[in-house]
Amino acid sequence: LVNTILEISKVQSNNSKLFDIVDIIRIINQLLKIYSIRVKKKKLIKKKYQTKNQYILTKNQLILQILDNLLANAFKFSLSNSQIILRAYTIKGINNIEKTRLEIGDLGIGISKKYQLTIFKRFFRIEEEIKIVYGTGLGLNIVKKILQKYKIDFYLSTSANEGTIFLLDFKPVK
């Protein structure tokens, strides 16, 4: 909890916004090594890379924090034999500008409409419906603050009992 609160403080501070050139596929694979025991015991990870440019502009530690939080939630809120999907691909955004989209999805319990706006609030947990008692309720709050601070577009697609997909759009390195 203390480490998580320190992370929130770092994100809220006005420190440098300089970006690093980050290999998103290397980051994903690095994180999957950390999660390898969970992957073997509970879930099937399906990953697919179709991006023209796997290098994005972001901060290395922050993208690790984001992906760790989203992947941890995917494991926490999906059934033991379901899939977690990680994809990186190229999209065309506004004015035909190419972006690298990162998709983290699960086929888990999903999020009902009444909670979709509140899941990003600090210390919020959906306990009464899902009976999961661990976690601080800070993970998605941190994710949202980081994404907003660094002007990374993100989208949520979810329905109760159908799973959740987070879409993150990064500016590729040219």
Side-chain angles (χ1 to χ4, degrees), residues 68-132:
D68 185 37
N69 283 334
L70 295 177
L71 198 53
N73 280 352
F75 276 97
K76 188 187 314 184
F77 298 113
S78 58
L79 301 173
S80 62
N81 59 351
S82 66
Q83 286 186 351
I84 293 173
I85 299 147
L86 292 164
R87 291 180 36 187
Y89 51 96
T90 303
I91 63 161
K92 292 215 179 199
I94 298 172
N95 297 329
N96 232 14
I97 297 172
E98 286 188 350
K99 293 182 178 187
T100 299
R101 174 166 281 174
L102 185 58
E103 183 177 315
I104 301 100
D106 65 68
L107 302 174
I109 63 169
I111 304 163
S112 65
K113 278 203 183 286
K114 72 179 184 177
Y115 294 120
Q116 288 180 15
L117 294 177
T118 55
I119 61 167
F120 294 102
K121 290 185 179 177
R122 194 178 290 188
F123 300 113
F124 181 79
R125 298 184 333 174
I126 308 170
E127 293 175 334
E128 70 271 6
E129 290 184 12
I130 57 174
K131 310 292 188 258
I132 292 179

Side-chain angles (χ1 to χ4, degrees), residues 5-78:
I5 291 170
L6 288 173
E7 285 297 325
I8 291 171
S9 296
K10 277 193 238 177
V11 171
Q12 290 175 335
S13 71
N14 288 325
N15 58 1
S16 173
K17 288 187 179 182
L18 296 176
F19 292 109
D20 301 319
I21 296 174
V22 176
D23 181 342
I24 192 62
I25 294 172
R26 186 185 64 75
I27 293 287
I28 292 170
N29 289 330
Q30 179 183 347
L31 200 55
L32 288 178
K33 283 181 186 176
I34 295 168
Y35 279 85
S36 64
I37 293 172
R38 284 186 182 179
V39 170
K40 288 177 185 174
K41 287 184 175 180
K42 293 187 172 186
K43 311 282 187 247
L44 172 63
I45 295 277
K46 182 178 179 182
K47 54 184 183 170
K48 190 172 190 177
Y49 308 125
Q50 292 179 306
T51 181
K52 292 179 184 176
N53 190 347
Q54 68 192 54
Y55 297 95
I56 60 173
L57 292 172
T58 188
K59 287 200 162 271
N60 196 56
Q61 281 307 112
L62 294 179
I63 190 65
L64 270 171
Q65 178 79 41
I66 291 167
L67 294 179
D68 185 37
N69 283 334
L70 295 177
L71 198 53
N73 280 352
F75 276 97
K76 188 187 314 184
F77 298 113
S78 58

